């Protein structure tokens, strides 16, 4: 067993355990911090694949920027008050589920029509800028933009839901 195999096993087991802790943790902030560990261990796997650019993007974009957004949203939720908006709002929850299904179907339809470039074995795991940016901006721009809009809509929804109602 080589050092790369040992590191792969370490990163894989740590990634699975951190992912389980994201789901099983009762505190949302602690769960978000475990998600940072998931992103870091995923970057470690990218380094083992010699995709250094993807590893740097993983740490900077996901562990940095996206997690700051997630923590901001979690703090806005004010989770100390359970049973705030979902109690008795079955139509609102059903509408949200339908919107989520429609979004998932549209992403599935776009990804089904997208043709992905096929690289030979030598460039399959190269993570330099050209190999990452060309398929991303040439063929898969719509799913990337749709996920950005989904994050924006989720953030706006949390801000609206976390407003404090001032009584007369």
């Amino acid at each position: 067993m080589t050092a790369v195999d040992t590191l792969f096993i370490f990163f894989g087991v740590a990634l699975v355990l951190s992912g389980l802790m994201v789901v099983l943790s009762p505190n949302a902030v602690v769960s978000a911090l475990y998600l940072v560990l998931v992103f870091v261990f995923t970057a470690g796997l990218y380094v083992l694949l010699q995709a250094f650019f993807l590893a740097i993007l993983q740490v900077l974009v996901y562990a940095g920027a996206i997690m700051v957004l997630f923590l901001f949203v979690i703090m806005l939720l004010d989770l100390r008050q359970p049973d705030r908006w979902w109690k008795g709002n079955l139509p609102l929850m059903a509408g949200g589920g339908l919107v989520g299904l429609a979004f998932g179907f549209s992403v599935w339809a776009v990804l089904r029509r997208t043709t992905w470039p096929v690289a030979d074995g030598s460039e399959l795991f190269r993570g330099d800028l050209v190999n990452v940016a060309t398929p991303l901006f040439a063929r898969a721009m719509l799913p990337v933009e749709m996920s950005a809009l989904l994050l924006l809509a989720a953030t706006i929804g949390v801000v609206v839901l976390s407003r404090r109602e001032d009584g007369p």
Side-chain angles (χ1 to χ4, degrees), residues 100-145:
L101 281 174
F103 179 77
F105 178 73
S106 63
V107 168
W108 173 77
V110 167
L111 290 178
R112 198 171 133 226
R113 285 185 296 185
T114 304
T115 58
W116 299 96
V118 177
D120 61 350
S122 64
E123 295 186 2
L124 186 60
F125 292 115
R126 285 191 52 203
D128 58 353
L129 184 59
V130 174
N131 288 337
V132 171
T134 301
L136 184 65
F137 292 116
R139 295 182 179 92
M141 194 61 190
L142 185 60
V144 170
E145 289 295 326

Side-chain angles (χ1 to χ4, degrees), residues 2-12 41-52 55 125:
T2 65
V4 174
D5 294 336
T6 306
L7 283 174
F8 177 77
I9 291 171
F10 169 73
F11 284 135
F41 290 134
T42 304
L45 288 176
Y46 286 148
V47 168
L48 290 178
L49 291 171
Q50 296 180 357
F52 302 110
F125 292 115

Side-chain angles (χ1 to χ4, degrees), residues 141 156 159:
M141 194 61 190
I156 290 171
V159 169

Side-chain angles (χ1 to χ4, degrees), residues 5-157:
D5 294 336
T6 306
L7 283 174
F8 177 77
I9 291 171
F10 169 73
F11 284 135
V13 169
L15 182 68
V16 169
L17 290 177
S18 297
L20 284 173
M21 290 306 296
V22 167
V23 177
L24 298 176
S25 178
N27 189 349
V29 176
V30 173
S31 181
L33 293 176
Y34 277 119
L35 191 58
V36 171
L37 280 178
V38 167
F39 292 148
V40 169
F41 290 134
T42 304
L45 288 176
Y46 286 148
V47 168
L48 290 178
L49 291 171
Q50 296 180 357
F52 302 110
F53 181 71
L54 286 177
I56 291 171
L57 280 181
Q58 180 77 20
V59 170
L60 289 178
V61 173
Y62 285 107
I66 299 297
M67 283 312 300
V68 167
L69 176 70
F70 281 178
L71 285 173
F72 176 70
V73 169
I74 288 170
M75 296 300 176
L76 274 177
L77 271 175
D78 195 17
L79 294 175
R80 289 175 291 171
Q81 298 177 358
D83 303 341
R84 256 176 83 162
W85 63 272
W86 52 85
K87 201 142 184 117
N89 271 334
L90 189 62
L92 182 66
M93 291 174 57
L98 288 175
V99 168
L101 281 174
F103 179 77
F105 178 73
S106 63
V107 168
W108 173 77
V110 167
L111 290 178
R112 198 171 133 226
R113 285 185 296 185
T114 304
T115 58
W116 299 96
V118 177
D120 61 350
S122 64
E123 295 186 2
L124 186 60
F125 292 115
R126 285 191 52 203
D128 58 353
L129 184 59
V130 174
N131 288 337
V132 171
T134 301
L136 184 65
F137 292 116
R139 295 182 179 92
M141 194 61 190
L142 185 60
V144 170
E145 289 295 326
M146 288 173 64
S147 63
L149 286 175
L150 180 66
L151 282 172
L152 177 67
T155 305
I156 290 171

